[in-house]
Amino acid sequence: MLSREENELLTQTDPGTPAGNFFRRFWLPALMPWELPGPDCPPVRVRLLGEDLVAFRDTGGKVGLVDEACPHRRASMFFGRNEECGLRCVYHGWKFDVEGNCTDMPNEPDEYRFQNRVRITAYPTREYGGIIWTYMGDPDQMPDLPKLEWARVPDSHRYVSKRRQENNYLQAIEGGIDSSHSNFLHASVDAFRLTDEYVERFKNSSNLRAKYHIMDKAPVFTVKKTDYGLIIAVRRNADDDQYYWRLTQFMLPSYTIIPYQKGLSINGHCWVPRDDKTCFVWSVSWNPDGPLSMEDRESIRMESFIHEKVDPVTFLAVRNKGNNYLIDREEQKANSMTGIHGFAAQDQAVQESMGPVADRSRERLGTSDTAIIAARRLLLSEIRASAEGTRPHAAQHSDVYWVRSASLLLKRDVEFDEGAQELLKAEV
Amino acid sequence: MPEHSTNGRNAGSEHHDSEVNPAHIVSVQDFSPETLRSVIAHLEVSTDFDHLVYREAELDAIWTITGYFLTNEPHSNDRDLVRRLHVGVHEAHDFVAASRPEAAAEVLRAFL
């Protein structure tokens, strides 16, 4: 549980709030590059950390991200003309470049123009890893981009998707690090009931997760603080004198990597506050060793795992709260726990059902919630330190993000962080 | 403190102080004196971030169990005691959140 004050401290990210200032110390995913397909293309609206912004790609291909309101009369720059290296407000013609400089003020007589003294709020952007990123913090403290493995692989090795979720970012993160939910929310009915047929099918499977979930339904949770955030380890009894470990990272401010089995693709998320009641879910699949496989592409196309089809303007998912995520009650009776297709929609359904901002003063936690407790305590500590002027270590050290999740078997007398040391390093 | 541990084991309760490992999560299935003693013993040796996270999880679990007891047992003779424990566990939880495990242990000792 959290006090109401702690909950508000964690979940409010508008300008001037402690958590908002904390997030503004990091580079954040903002747009898919295809939202701005070419020079002088139409501008698009972007809402981030409670700020209404407009993005545009100028004549030279540079991406600008500026306040939606023109500083003159507060008209929306979304209606602006994107022309000749700048975005021009259609109301009175004031024009701004990607750095926020006013380059034209045609409604003022020459002797009264003061364009050199006018600016629109503009945030720096970078294109990196299949995403347009932005930094919304103090320009004098702008860090390097995080050295995430998925951002460094060739485009053919990676798939990125973005969707909008109608709840605060924190309950989405909590879903990402809550490994106990996957045995229920994402399970088949057979897996949940451990039917004979299911056990027979997976007891000798190369799918270690399915195999060892059968053998041990009561995992042991461990969390450790790291220089990037947390490593969360879940241990199950395996054959003979071994444990099966699933290791996942929570990286500040809001990244996770799903436990990865060598030889398969890797999957992860980043959750970015849109405002206090909505967030963007960035989902990434990548293979460090080669292009994504046919199976990976098929999973993406079928929306069976973490990616989901969305409206290309609003980024709201096709399966959404308004249509009860297209729940199929017959499917729920016969096959899946939820009757909702795809892990992404399943996660979204339960996370949105908790309300826009979950009231954590009313929850009832148990010991399987240790990862969630740890993430909250870490974030609270980082947000408070940031409010006192301390720069987050992770934001200032991009190398700390060069890690990878893992799942593996280890002898019972081997500590997971020693036994998995090499596997936990990224390679690209 | 009333016993409510008839159907469960408490892995931590068998530990002597010298064996208490703060990196282990105490099995909380009740709010018996054995459970409280085990949590207190673990609080007394908790120093690191991860230790405090486990202690917070244990206190969350006791708070949950005592809360449901108060809801579900309106005629129990133990209600006043459990209500005080419920409040005390909340206080201990906040001490742990503030990285003060020794203060949390002190609060719980009053209920032994």
Side-chain angles (χ1 to χ4, degrees), chain A residues 82-100:
Chain A
N82 186 9
E83 57 183 17
E84 296 168 345
C85 285
L87 188 62
R88 187 185 295 281
C89 179
V90 291
Y91 201 3
H92 300 95
W94 290 23
K95 182 177 173 184
F96 301 91
D97 66 15
V98 295
E99 290 169 353

Side-chain angles (χ1 to χ4, degrees), chain A residues 99-266:
Chain A
E99 290 169 353
N101 303 305
C102 183
T103 59
D104 197 11
M105 194 179 271
N107 67 325
E108 290 286 339
D110 284 350
E111 63 270 32
Y112 293 109
R113 285 188 188 172
F114 51 99
Q115 66 197 48
N116 292 342
R117 297 178 183 278
V118 172
R119 283 185 55 80
I120 192 169
T121 298
Y123 296 119
T125 64
R126 300 280 187 278
E127 293 193 57
Y128 169 62
I131 289 175
I132 297 171
W133 300 67
T134 190
Y135 172 73
M136 297 169 69
D138 180 346
D140 295 334
Q141 297 185 6
M142 187 165 71
D144 292 334
L145 284 155
K147 194 176 172 184
L148 294 151
E149 184 177 57
W150 56 260
R152 296 159 57 84
V153 299
D155 288 348
S156 60
H157 297 28
R158 171 187 62 235
Y159 183 85
V160 181
S161 65
K162 167 188 174 184
R163 73 173 190 276
R164 175 173 149 184
Q165 202 160 296
E166 303 288 292
N167 57 258
N168 182 266
Y169 81 95
L170 185 60
Q171 60 213 59
I173 289 180
E174 290 170 352
I177 57 175
D178 167 20
S179 60
S180 70
H181 83 273
S182 64
N183 290 350
F184 308 99
L185 183 71
H186 303 314
S188 67
V189 174
D190 283 351
F192 175 64
R193 290 182 180 154
L194 282 183
T195 59
D196 292 344
E197 185 189 349
Y198 182 85
V199 171
E200 192 58 34
R201 183 149 55 105
F202 285 104
K203 71 181 183 187
N204 295 314
S205 170
S206 61
N207 179 337
L208 300 182
R209 179 182 174 278
K211 178 177 177 179
Y212 294 115
H213 278 225
I214 294 170
M215 293 176 66
D216 186 352
K217 299 289 282 183
V220 175
F221 294 81
T222 305
V223 290
K224 288 197 174 177
K225 206 168 169 181
T226 65
D227 49 6
Y228 53 75
L230 297 173
I231 186 157
I232 300 154
V234 181
R235 191 190 80 196
R236 284 182 166 81
N237 294 323
D239 314 281
D240 304 328
D241 59 344
Q242 292 182 311
Y243 287 131
Y244 172 58
W245 289 93
R246 289 174 63 78
L247 312 176
T248 190
Q249 286 91 1
F250 167 58
M251 296 184 283
L252 294 166
S254 55
Y255 301 93
T256 58
I257 310 179
I258 297 169
Y260 146 72
Q261 185 176 335
K262 189 88 179 156
L264 303 176
S265 62
I266 314 175

Side-chain angles (χ1 to χ4, degrees), chain A residues 238-308:
Chain A
D239 314 281
D240 304 328
D241 59 344
Q242 292 182 311
Y243 287 131
Y244 172 58
W245 289 93
R246 289 174 63 78
L247 312 176
T248 190
Q249 286 91 1
F250 167 58
M251 296 184 283
L252 294 166
S254 55
Y255 301 93
T256 58
I257 310 179
I258 297 169
Y260 146 72
Q261 185 176 335
K262 189 88 179 156
L264 303 176
S265 62
I266 314 175
N267 299 279
H269 289 102
C270 180
W271 289 276
V272 179
R274 184 173 172 274
D275 50 36
D276 292 349
K277 295 181 176 178
T278 61
C279 64
F280 285 118
V281 183
W282 291 86
S283 303
V284 188
S285 301
W286 74 101
N287 184 339
D289 301 321
L292 290 178
S293 67
M294 289 293 288
E295 292 77 14
D296 291 328
R297 296 280 175 194
E298 184 64 4
S299 165
I300 292 164
R301 193 181 70 78
M302 296 297 291
E303 306 175 77
S304 54
F305 193 35
I306 61 171
H307 302 285
E308 195 177 9

Side-chain angles (χ1 to χ4, degrees), chain B:
Chain B
M1 189 53 50
E3 299 285 345
H4 293 282
S5 57
T6 49
N7 61 350
R9 68 188 167 82
N10 186 328
S13 65
E14 295 164 7
H15 291 156
H16 300 293
D17 283 356
S18 59
E19 297 169 347
V20 170
N21 179 352
H24 284 170
I25 302 176
V26 176
S27 170
V28 175
Q29 299 181 342
D30 55 51
F31 48 88
S32 64
E34 288 71 26
T35 297
L36 295 184
R37 268 190 210 101
S38 184
V39 171
I40 290 165
H42 284 73
L43 281 166
E44 287 167 344
V45 293
S46 291
T47 51
D48 297 349
F49 172 84
D50 49 323
H51 304 161
L52 297 179
V53 166
Y54 304 147
R55 301 298 80 81
E56 185 172 341
E58 293 154 3
L59 291 165
D60 265 318
I62 298 174
W63 188 75
T64 295
I65 297 170
T66 50
Y68 278 108
F69 178 91
L70 293 171
T71 302
N72 298 331
E73 304 288 344
H75 307 298
S76 168
N77 293 331
D78 297 322
R79 277 185 65 80
D80 283 348
L81 188 57
V82 177
R83 187 179 289 111
R84 279 192 281 118
L85 175 61
H86 188 63
V87 171
V89 167
H90 197 298
E91 189 183 358
H93 174 277
D94 289 349
F95 277 130
V96 171
S99 303
R100 295 181 57 194
E102 70 295 335
E106 190 61 37
V107 170
L108 294 186
R109 266 187 223 107
F111 295 97
L112 293 179

Side-chain angles (χ1 to χ4, degrees), chain A residues 13-65:
Chain A
T13 58
D14 281 358
T17 60
N21 291 341
F22 174 70
F23 268 91
R24 284 168 174 79
R25 291 179 179 270
F26 294 83
W27 282 95
L28 301 172
L31 295 118
M32 298 292 291
W34 56 255
E35 293 182 69
L36 299 171
D40 293 336
C41 63
V44 296
R45 287 190 174 101
V46 186
R47 186 165 166 78
L48 287 175
L49 305 179
E51 294 188 47
D52 287 315
L53 307 167
V54 166
F56 65 104
R57 193 184 291 275
D58 76 4
T59 312
K62 288 187 210 161
V63 174
L65 185 62

